[in-house]
Amino acid sequence: MRETAERFRAAVEKRDLSALEHLFTEDIRLYSPVKFRPFEGRPMVLGLFGVLLRVFEDLRYVGRFDGATETGADGTEAPASVLPFRATVDGKEIHGIDMLHFDGAGRIKEFTVMVRPQSAVHTLGRAVLAGLQADGLA
């Protein structure tokens, strides 16, 4: 799981969307701070990451915590890594975490993003929606 978390981190920091594809399960669920229902399925989550990699101006991970936690989909406990990050979107600094849940093969099956402050959540939501609309995903 640690290896997957490190490969994920490296792919995001290099803005390498193709490297993310093999890290996600086919039925991945991504819980966003700006949308009530999760983004579901590898194609949709990869499309969202395409937008996020354009929207985040200077995304950098600042640590990693490993453990286990219940998933949102079925409440089963799964190995997990939490990656704190800092970024800027439209001039607003964002602090956040990416929480990755892994399946038995070490692929990411569930992904939760949390960000602060609230004004940054609104800014991020507007930027992501515009990107999803531009890419024909919303």
Side-chain angles (χ1 to χ4, degrees):
M1 310 317 155
R2 294 181 83 145
E3 180 183 326
T4 303
E6 287 305 312
R7 289 174 52 209
F8 171 82
R9 178 181 179 158
V12 170
E13 288 178 340
K14 293 177 186 172
R15 300 184 182 279
D16 184 356
L17 190 59
S18 64
L20 292 174
E21 183 173 359
H22 304 292
L23 300 179
F24 297 151
T25 62
E26 189 65 38
D27 60 347
I28 186 171
R29 296 167 63 101
L30 187 145
Y31 295 90
S32 163
V34 299
K35 186 174 179 270
F36 182 73
R37 296 184 190 267
F39 292 91
E40 297 186 74
R42 187 185 298 153
M44 186 66 202
V45 171
L46 286 171
L48 174 62
F49 266 93
V51 171
L52 292 172
L53 294 178
R54 291 192 315 263
V55 167
F56 285 126
E57 297 162 20
D58 61 350
L59 178 65
R60 64 208 176 280
Y61 288 100
V62 297
R64 188 183 79 227
F65 302 94
D66 297 310
T69 187
E70 290 182 5
T71 63
D74 59 16
T76 59
E77 188 171 279
S81 290
V82 175
L83 304 173
F85 67 85
R86 303 287 184 264
T88 305
V89 175
D90 289 339
K92 293 206 183 272
E93 184 175 330
I94 293 176
H95 294 192
I97 62 166
D98 288 339
M99 183 166 40
L100 316 175
H101 291 93
F102 305 101
D103 71 1
R107 292 177 300 156
I108 302 166
K109 71 176 184 174
E110 192 170 286
F111 192 107
T112 301
V113 181
M114 297 180 194
V115 298
R116 64 154 305 278
Q118 185 176 8
S119 60
V121 174
H122 294 297
T123 300
L124 178 61
R126 284 190 300 272
V128 168
L129 179 58
L132 289 171
Q133 289 172 333
D135 290 358
L137 298 171

